[in-house]
Structure formats: C-alpha cells, structure tokens
C-alpha cells in the first residue's frame, strides 16, 4: 500500500514521526490485565490508556506550538478520521494453556472479550469511528505449541496442528464475531470491519506448497534440525549451552521458503501472503472487494 511503517508510541525519544499514525502494540501483550508472571506489562487496557495520553499530548502540542510540529504529529481531525486496527487475544489463549485445561481456557473467553469491549468503548468515547478488527489465527499450528503440546500424535489434527489449541481459537473467534455484530448494532455511526485471519492462515498452512513454501511448521530461525527445527530452550538469534555444547539458533538461508520465522511469528513471506489475502477484501465482514480504491500487485 506504499505506506510507511508506524513508529512505536514507546519509541518517542528524538523526533519520531507520528503524522501517519502510531503503534501501541507490544510483544507478548494480552487483552486481560498483565499478571506478575506476564511476558508483557502492556495489556490492552494499558495500550488504550497510552493512546488517550498520546491524544492529549498531541492536542496540547497543537495548541501551544502553532504549525511547528505539523510534520511530526497528527492533525486534530485525524483522531476521528483515522483507522484503529486491532490484532490481539492470541497470547491470552496461548499463555492460559500452560496452566489450564481446554475447558478452562474456553470458559475464560467471555472475560477476555469483555475487556476488549471496554477498550473499544473507551476509544469510541475518544472519537474513534473506524475500526479494523482481526480475529485470532490457528494457534495450534505454531511450532512452539506443537513442540510443547503435540508430543502425543493423537493430540494433533490432520494438518499436524494441536487440536485443542485450534478448537479454542475457533470458539474464541465465534464469540469475537458475535461481539463484533453487537458493537456494529450498538454504534450505528461507526465503520467497523472484521477480518477472518484464521481462515487465511489455515489455508496457507493446508496448501503451503501451492504458495511456494517448503513446510508450514519448520522454523527458519531455530535450533534442533528436522522436522521442526525448534527448541524452546534456544530462541532465535540466541546462543545457549545444551548438553555441554554451545549452540546457536540461526536464521535459514532462504526465509521465503518458510511459513514460520521463529516458531511463534510468521515469516515476512508468509505475512506478505496474509496481507495480500486481507487486501482482496474477501475475508472481511463486510466484504470490500468491489470497493478497492487501488490496484494490488498480487504476488500470490
């Protein structure tokens, strides 16, 4: 789409450019408030609070600095005309599986979605009117989860993914879609789009060779060799002592052949496929394939 990457809210030293938007995402973040053992303290509620602080500060700067900062910060009307994008919730499910049964994980979904709804309402109260919401992907197909929960072949489905994790992701998405419909009915002045990321990613994993990938569950930047080249003890780029030997998780020669980058995140090539599919408009509710304002150079 020829748009620049968004600068991170927390990378505010110097003069980052927030004119085109601001990124509040943080690795490992959850919808539910962070616990003492959480990977990231920046849960959804914190991110929303950071946005509110960001907006307040921008309006202060606009009021007190004339046009001096125009090229660095958004104009006031950008806040109600901007697109608010959300892709969160997968970490809530993934983390819960380490201490809860599948039934307990599924039972927690309404609480997760209530927290998400609260954040959306706060943003609406701040003037947000355009929302772009991703559902969650096939959690059970991530090599990290296959390695941890798929040692027993009976726990895997026909694609080699962990059945319980994918079932939980599907149930999460069913309830997420119901929340989306509720919000759509509640906020009639809002333009809201729900994107079925699960279907896009599952199609990629099921038909990986058709799209030029060598394997859907082998990790590009990992350690351990075939079949998955993933070892949770040696994260991508790190060197550890395993059984008395120093080993390093290195990147593969050609990342474009891999769906998985590091066992958790998708590779750049896989993300390119996903974004291409999103931009067809076919996986969106409401679909927008007939409204595309620009021609896409589709690789896939």
């Amino acid at each position: 789409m020829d748009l620049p990457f968004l600068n991170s809210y927390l990378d505010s030293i110097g003069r980052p450019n927030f004119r085109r938007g601001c990124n509040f995402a943080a690795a490992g973040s959850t919808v539910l408030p962070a616990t003492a053992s959480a990977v990231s303290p920046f849960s959804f509620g914190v991110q929303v609070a950071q946005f509110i602080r960001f907006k307040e500060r921008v309006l202060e700067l606009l009021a007190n600095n004339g046009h001096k900062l125009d090229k660095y910060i958004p104009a006031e009307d950008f806040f109600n005309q901007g697109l608010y994008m959300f892709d969160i919730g997968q970490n809530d499910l993934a983390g819960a599986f380490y201490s809860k049964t599948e039934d307990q994980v599924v039972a927690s979904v309404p609480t997760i979605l209530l927290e998400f709804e609260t954040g959306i309402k706060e943003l609406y109260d701040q003037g947000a009117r355009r929302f772009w919401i991703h559902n969650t992907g096939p959690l059970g197909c991530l090599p990290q989860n296959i390695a941890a929960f798929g040692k027993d072949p009976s726990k895997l489905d026909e694609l080699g993914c962990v059945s319980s994790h994918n079932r939980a992701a599907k149930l999460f998405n069913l309830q997420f879609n119901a929340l989306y419909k509720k919000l759509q009915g509640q906020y009639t002045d809002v333009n809201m789009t729900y994107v079925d990321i699960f279907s896009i990613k599952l199609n990629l994993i099921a038909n990986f060779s058709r799209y030029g990938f060598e394997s859907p569950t082998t990790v590009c930047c990992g350690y351990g060799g075939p079949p998955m080249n993933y070892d949770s003890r040696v994260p991508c780029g790190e060197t550890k002592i395993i059984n008395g030997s120093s080993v390093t998780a290195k990147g593969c020669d050609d990342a474009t052949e891999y769906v998985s980058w590091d066992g958790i995140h998708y590779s750049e090539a896989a993300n390119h496929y996903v974004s291409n599919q999103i931009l067809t408009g076919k996986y969106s509710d409401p679909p927008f394939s007939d409204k595309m304002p620009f021609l896409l150079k589709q690789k896939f």
Side-chain angles (χ1 to χ4, degrees):
M1 293 173 74
D2 295 324
L3 293 170
F5 288 121
L6 299 181
N7 278 306
S8 306
Y9 170 74
L10 289 172
D11 189 19
S12 301
I13 294 170
R15 284 193 174 178
N17 192 327
F18 295 122
R19 182 76 178 172
R20 296 288 193 95
C22 184
N23 187 354
F24 296 87
S29 295
T30 52
V31 176
L32 291 176
T35 61
S37 59
V39 174
S40 165
F42 302 105
S43 59
F44 186 53
V46 173
Q47 293 175 22
V48 171
Q50 288 176 334
F51 164 77
I52 293 170
R53 170 65 186 141
F54 172 78
K55 182 184 172 189
E56 287 171 352
R57 187 73 183 118
V58 166
L59 297 181
E60 275 175 31
L61 291 169
L62 287 171
N64 299 325
N65 289 274
H67 295 287
K68 281 193 294 187
L69 299 174
D70 280 4
K71 64 180 179 180
Y72 298 109
I73 57 176
E76 185 172 353
D77 64 346
F78 284 18
F79 288 102
N80 56 23
Q81 293 189 25
L83 183 62
Y84 292 74
M85 301 179 72
F86 309 89
D87 189 322
I88 194 167
Q90 186 163 288
N91 291 331
D92 292 84
L93 302 179
F97 267 105
Y98 285 93
S99 59
K100 294 178 179 174
T101 65
E102 181 183 345
D103 286 346
Q104 288 173 323
V105 173
V106 171
S108 72
V109 170
T111 310
I112 296 168
L113 293 179
L114 185 61
E115 185 75 14
F116 183 79
E117 183 179 0
T118 300
I120 292 290
K121 285 178 175 173
E122 285 187 53
L123 292 168
Y124 178 85
D125 291 342
Q126 289 289 323
R129 292 295 182 269
R130 294 172 181 172
F131 296 98
W132 182 277
I133 301 170
H134 289 181
N135 71 6
T136 205
L139 185 62
C141 299
L142 299 179
Q144 181 190 54
N145 291 325
I146 299 170
F149 299 93
K151 294 181 178 72
D152 177 352
S154 69
K155 306 281 189 197
L156 303 176
D157 64 16
E158 67 281 359
L159 294 177
C161 304
V162 185
S163 302
S164 57
H165 285 56
N166 276 1
R167 280 194 299 265
K170 285 179 185 174
L171 286 165
F172 176 88
N173 288 338
L174 275 172
Q175 294 183 50
F176 204 7
N177 189 252
L179 172 61
Y180 159 72
K181 296 286 191 192
K182 175 189 162 187
L183 292 170
Q184 231 185 1
Q186 201 171 327
Y187 299 122
T188 52
D189 58 336
V190 160
N191 185 320
M192 199 173 276
T193 303
Y194 177 92
V195 187
D196 185 7
I197 296 294
F198 187 97
S199 293
I200 295 173
K201 289 184 172 178
L202 198 67
N203 179 53
L204 171 59
I205 288 154
N207 302 292
F208 63 93
S209 57
R210 184 190 301 172
Y211 303 114
F213 295 95
E214 295 293 319
S215 164
T217 55
T218 304
V219 172
C220 169
C221 185
Y223 166 76
M228 286 200 300
N229 192 39
Y230 179 81
D231 188 322
S232 61
R233 298 170 296 176
V234 195
C236 171
E238 293 191 16
T239 299
K240 302 278 181 172
I241 304 296
I242 303 288
N243 300 328
S245 301
S246 176
V247 298
T248 303
K250 295 179 180 173
C252 55
D253 291 334
D254 186 0
T256 63
E257 296 177 352
Y258 293 76
V259 171
S260 180
W261 167 247
D262 59 359
I264 305 167
H265 306 97
Y266 282 56
S267 67
E268 182 75 7
N271 279 327
H272 189 73
Y273 166 82
V274 171
S275 59
N276 268 257
Q277 296 307 303
I278 291 170
L279 292 172
T280 64
K282 292 185 293 190
Y283 293 90
S284 294
D285 179 12
F288 60 86
S289 47
D290 58 333
K291 299 187 181 75
M292 292 302 285
F294 49 85
L295 292 170
L296 289 170
K297 299 182 282 291
Q298 294 278 19
K299 177 185 171 190
F300 295 96

